[in-house]
């Protein structure tokens, strides 16, 4: 990277300062959108236009005072070239996505006030340095998973997170929509999923060992029109939304709404409610034809809402005790000739893999879906470390690397006593910056199966959007650079230079209203004194 440092995050591949001068945007600046870039022009007018107060009109004016958007098929699909000079700025991309990421870089170059929703200094001069930026991402999957099942995030908060992702050039939003503690998406043929399963009467405050409770009912769900709006908002920002419905475990909320989905021969499922505690519920789906048909109905409606290539089916942390005691489950294993309950779950997952493949989609699940065998086209979210991802890649499966020891952002950011509800290992900003998604032991052919990487935000102990912000930022900025930029090996990464660039990036986050963790530690209102967490000491296992 060039010695001239405008503080861009994520760092671009090449940045050249062509002159020491600046070009100025003003009332006469025009925005000329070539074929295929019209959506990027709309975003620039709505975001940068709103922040600057400039109209960025389509035509007329001085040809030298224009921001030109154009496609260049010789560039990588998400790559871009941004040139500031004459015309004022030119952004070329291998696709509209590339042009959009170039527009995000332009916004960063304009300064923190370009991230506000209205001008704070009317009449100010908006300047761009005369530079050329040539850039493209390292990975095609640069993801953020947001758990809205444990603590519901209203639609406006989800739209805001899509904007925050776009500002960091992240492009996959993994939407965790169901769990033991809540169901968050309207399914028209099964109304009880939102009437019953979308709320719980109370909530554990802190870790599951905490004695504290919040006795207010908690819940919420997204209507199908809400989902259409979220998906469209994401698409305008070149973000793919991958929905997750967790099966066959983490399903107590669904069983509470429709008791026949559970293992009725070993537990009184009609007495179950939506779970109000954290951890892993023992109440899992029954491996019956009725359950399969029910979830086919769920997925049919989801496919109409989400155009994504991948559909996430969960598959993690499925206790097998009820199946071991269930005559129905035993009969199913005998009929199928299955040796054990792990194979029964593999059959369950395989059914939906075949079902989704027949409809032109691909199944992805947490790495437990490897146990008992996995269909060739299925992909794996490797969360329990690197091991499952390595095994999946070696078996020819596509992998998204999201090991909990490195990129679970619910883990605490510091070992100090003021961290709110401390969970898991200490994962500092520097730790995340030194995360490497591709294990060195993979061959070149195996590395090609690593689609990319993802940071996961589980919200058991995040009771508000401000808490989600605190856990997610600023570490998501470091993760975004890992996912986008071609960094050296972890030990050779220049964290001091990144930290220097973060001094300017904090001002962007301030302008966006992000309640991030300050470098000096939590502010008084960000602490949660007396709320029990689950801190783990020492370095996390690197496996």
């Amino acid at each position: 990277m060039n010695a001239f440092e405008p503080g861009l995050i994520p760092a671009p591949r090449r940045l050249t300062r062509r002159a020491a001068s600046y070009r100025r945007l003003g009332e006469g600046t025009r925005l000329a959108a070539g074929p295929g870039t019209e959506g990027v022009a709309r975003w620039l007018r709505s975001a940068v236009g709103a922040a600057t107060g400039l109209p960025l009109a389509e035509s007329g004016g001085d040809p030298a005072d224009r921001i030109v958007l154009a496609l260049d098929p010789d560039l990588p699909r998400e790559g871009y070239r941004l040139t500031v000079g004459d015309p004022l700025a030119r952004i070329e991309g291998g696709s509209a996505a590339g042009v959009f990421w170039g527009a995000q870089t332009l916004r960063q170059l304009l300064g923190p006030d370009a991230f506000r929703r209205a001008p704070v200094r009317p009449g100010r001069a908006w300047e761009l340095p005369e530079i050329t930026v040539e850039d493209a991402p390292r990975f095609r999957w640069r993801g953020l998973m947001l758990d809205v099942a444990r603590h519901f995030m209203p639609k406006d908060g989800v739209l805001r997170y899509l904007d925050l992702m776009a500002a960091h050039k992240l492009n996959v939003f993994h939407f965790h929509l169901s769990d033991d503690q809540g169901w968050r998406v309207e399914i028209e043929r099964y109304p009880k999923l939102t009437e019953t399963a979308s709320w719980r009467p109370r909530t554990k405050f802190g870790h599951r060992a905490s004695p504290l409770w919040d006795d207010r009912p908690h819940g919420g769900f997204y209507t199908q029109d809400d989902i259409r709006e979220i998906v469209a908002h994401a698409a305008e920002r070149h973000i793919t939304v991958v929905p997750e419905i967790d099966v066959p475990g983490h399903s107590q909320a669904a069983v509470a709404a429709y008791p026949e989905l559970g293992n009725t021969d070993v537990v009184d499922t009609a007495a179950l409610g939506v779970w109000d505690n954290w951890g892993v519920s023992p109440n899992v789906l029954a491996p019956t034809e009725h359950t399969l048909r029910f979830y086919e109905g769920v997925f049919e409606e989801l496919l109409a809402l989400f155009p994504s290539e991948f559909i996430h089916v969960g598959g993690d942390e499925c206790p097998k005790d009820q199946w071991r005691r269930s005559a129905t489950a035993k009969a199913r294993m005998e009929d199928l000739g299955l040796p054990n309950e792990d194979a029964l779950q593999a059959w369950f997952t395989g059914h939906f893999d075949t079902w989704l493949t027949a409809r032109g989609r691909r199944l992805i699940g947490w790495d437990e879906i490897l146990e008992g065998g996995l269909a060739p086209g299925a992909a794996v979210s490797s969360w329990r470390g690197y091991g499952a991802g390595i095994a999946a890649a070696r078996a020819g499966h596509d992998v998204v690397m999201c090991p909990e020891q490195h990129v679970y952002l619910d883990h605490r950011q510091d070992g100090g006593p003021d961290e709110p509800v401390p969970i898991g290992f200490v994962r500092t900003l520097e730790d995340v910056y030194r995360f490497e998604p591709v294990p060195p032991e993979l061959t070149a052919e195996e590395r090609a199966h690593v689609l990319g990487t993802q940071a996961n935000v589980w919200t058991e102990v995040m009771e508000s959007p401000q808490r989600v912000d605190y856990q997610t930022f600023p570490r998501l900025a470091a993760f975004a650079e890992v996912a986008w930029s071609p960094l050296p090996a972890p030990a050779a990464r220049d964290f001091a230079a990144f930290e220097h660039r973060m001094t300017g990036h904090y001002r962007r986050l301030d302008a966006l209203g992000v309640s991030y963790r300050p470098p000096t530690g939590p502010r008084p209102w960000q602490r949660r004194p007396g709320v029990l967490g689950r801190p783990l000491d020492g370095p996390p296992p690197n496996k």
Side-chain angles (χ1 to χ4, degrees):
M1 281 170 274
N2 194 280
F4 168 70
E5 181 51 76
L8 297 177
I9 290 178
R13 290 175 181 260
R14 285 178 295 278
L15 187 153
T16 305
R17 184 78 189 265
R18 297 185 0 266
S21 56
Y22 288 77
R23 295 299 307 275
R24 178 171 295 188
L25 282 71
E27 292 290 332
T29 300
R30 298 295 186 259
L31 180 55
T37 70
E38 297 86 355
V40 182
R42 283 194 299 273
W43 177 83
L44 272 167
R45 290 191 180 96
S46 65
V48 176
T52 61
L54 301 178
L56 300 177
E58 290 185 34
S59 59
D62 182 354
D65 190 16
R66 288 186 181 181
I67 300 172
V68 178
L69 311 179
L71 300 181
D72 181 347
D74 292 332
L75 291 172
R77 195 187 74 80
E78 288 191 278
Y80 69 89
R81 182 189 305 110
L82 166 62
T83 305
V84 178
D86 188 0
L88 188 152
R90 183 176 182 87
I91 306 174
E92 299 163 294
S95 68
V99 178
F100 181 73
W101 304 131
Q104 291 289 350
T105 297
L106 178 83
R107 187 190 194 190
Q108 288 198 19
L109 290 170
L110 286 169
D113 285 348
F115 289 80
R116 297 190 179 274
R117 296 187 183 183
V120 293
R121 295 174 181 82
R124 64 161 284 184
W126 295 91
E127 295 182 328
L128 291 169
E130 292 204 29
I131 62 173
T132 296
V133 180
E134 298 171 280
D135 204 5
R138 179 185 179 190
F139 293 111
R140 59 172 277 204
W141 186 302
R142 307 180 302 281
L144 173 69
M145 189 228 70
L146 180 62
D147 166 21
V148 296
R150 273 51 175 269
H151 278 102
F152 178 66
M153 180 176 285
K155 180 194 69 179
D156 285 353
V158 174
L159 298 177
R160 172 176 173 265
Y161 258 81
L162 291 169
D163 289 340
L164 291 171
M165 288 178 63
H168 292 83
K169 298 185 173 74
L170 299 174
N171 70 339
V172 178
F173 179 58
H174 176 167
F175 207 7
H176 185 79
L177 289 166
S178 75
D179 218 295
D180 297 311
Q181 296 85 1
W183 184 282
R184 303 296 178 220
V185 56
E186 178 187 28
I187 302 297
E188 292 177 348
R189 72 188 71 187
Y190 304 129
K192 291 182 182 178
L193 288 174
T194 45
E195 292 170 1
T196 300
S198 70
W199 70 277
R200 57 182 181 264
R202 65 175 187 169
T203 298
K204 175 70 72 170
F205 191 30
H207 182 253
R208 58 182 174 269
S210 167
L212 304 176
W213 292 89
D214 182 343
D215 289 319
R216 296 173 296 176
H218 178 86
F221 65 92
Y222 309 103
T223 67
Q224 293 203 358
D225 279 345
D226 290 338
I227 294 294
R228 292 183 183 100
E229 181 182 358
I230 288 167
V231 170
H233 191 83
E236 289 173 351
R237 287 147 184 79
H238 299 276
I239 296 170
T240 299
V241 183
V242 174
E244 179 186 354
I245 297 295
D246 211 336
V247 295
H250 285 293
S251 298
Q252 182 168 325
V255 174
Y258 292 92
E260 66 273 17
L261 296 174
N263 295 282
T264 57
D265 57 347
V266 296
V267 65
D268 181 8
T269 56
L272 295 176
V274 177
W275 210 24
D276 58 11
N277 211 332
W278 310 129
V280 180
S281 168
N283 296 298
V284 303
L285 298 176
T288 63
E289 290 298 317
H290 175 77
T291 300
L292 296 180
R293 299 293 89 75
F294 183 96
Y295 276 89
E296 286 172 2
V298 169
F299 285 119
E300 278 183 10
E301 294 195 23
L302 287 181
L303 295 190
L305 295 170
F306 296 94
S308 55
E309 174 186 3
F310 289 97
I311 302 295
H312 207 291
V313 301
D316 60 316
E317 299 178 321
C318 179
K320 307 297 192 303
D321 181 63
Q322 290 184 358
W323 286 358
R324 293 186 186 98
R325 295 186 288 127
S326 167
T328 300
K330 290 177 182 177
R332 172 67 80 178
M333 286 191 289
E334 289 177 6
D335 289 345
L336 296 170
L338 301 176
N340 54 40
E341 288 77 15
D342 285 343
L344 183 61
Q345 180 173 348
W347 164 81
F348 195 103
T349 302
H351 173 86
F352 287 103
D353 179 79
T354 301
W355 190 90
L356 288 167
T357 299
R359 288 154 181 80
R361 307 298 185 94
R362 292 181 65 188
L363 178 144
I364 186 169
W366 302 111
D367 57 53
E368 286 95 331
I369 68 173
L370 286 166
E371 298 165 4
L374 185 59
V380 172
S381 301
S382 185
W383 75 273
R384 292 180 294 176
Y386 287 108
I390 292 169
R394 287 177 172 167
H397 295 288
D398 287 339
V399 180
V400 175
M401 286 291 188
C402 48
E404 64 170 331
Q405 304 93 329
H406 300 278
V407 289
Y408 268 35
L409 300 186
D410 48 306
H411 283 212
R412 56 193 172 136
Q413 303 184 65
D414 189 88
D418 290 333
E419 290 304 307
V421 199
I423 298 295
F425 296 103
V426 172
R427 293 286 85 191
T428 66
L429 183 67
E430 182 173 359
D431 290 330
V432 174
Y433 190 67
R434 297 194 189 279
F435 163 60
E436 172 49 48
V438 181
E441 54 263 54
L442 293 180
T443 67
E445 182 179 358
E446 292 162 352
R447 287 197 297 271
H449 284 292
V450 179
L451 299 177
T453 184
Q454 179 173 289
N456 294 340
V457 180
W458 300 102
T459 63
E460 287 94 335
V461 299
M462 301 182 207
E463 76 285 356
S464 69
Q466 291 74 28
R467 278 286 288 123
V468 175
D469 277 7
Y470 179 92
Q471 292 300 132
T472 305
F473 290 96
R475 292 182 294 181
L476 192 67
F479 172 80
E481 185 148 312
V482 169
W484 179 278
S485 306
L487 299 175
R493 293 176 189 174
D494 191 347
F495 178 70
F498 174 78
E499 203 170 27
H500 175 71
R501 283 183 284 123
M502 278 300 300
T503 59
H505 198 66
Y506 285 119
R507 295 178 60 206
R508 297 180 191 126
L509 297 178
D510 287 334
L512 288 164
V514 177
S515 299
Y516 57 85
R517 181 191 188 276
T520 53
R523 297 181 173 96
W525 59 87
Q526 293 173 321
R527 302 166 188 163
R528 297 291 185 275
V531 181
L532 187 67
R534 184 183 62 92
L536 298 175
D537 295 327
N542 190 27
K543 61 181 181 179

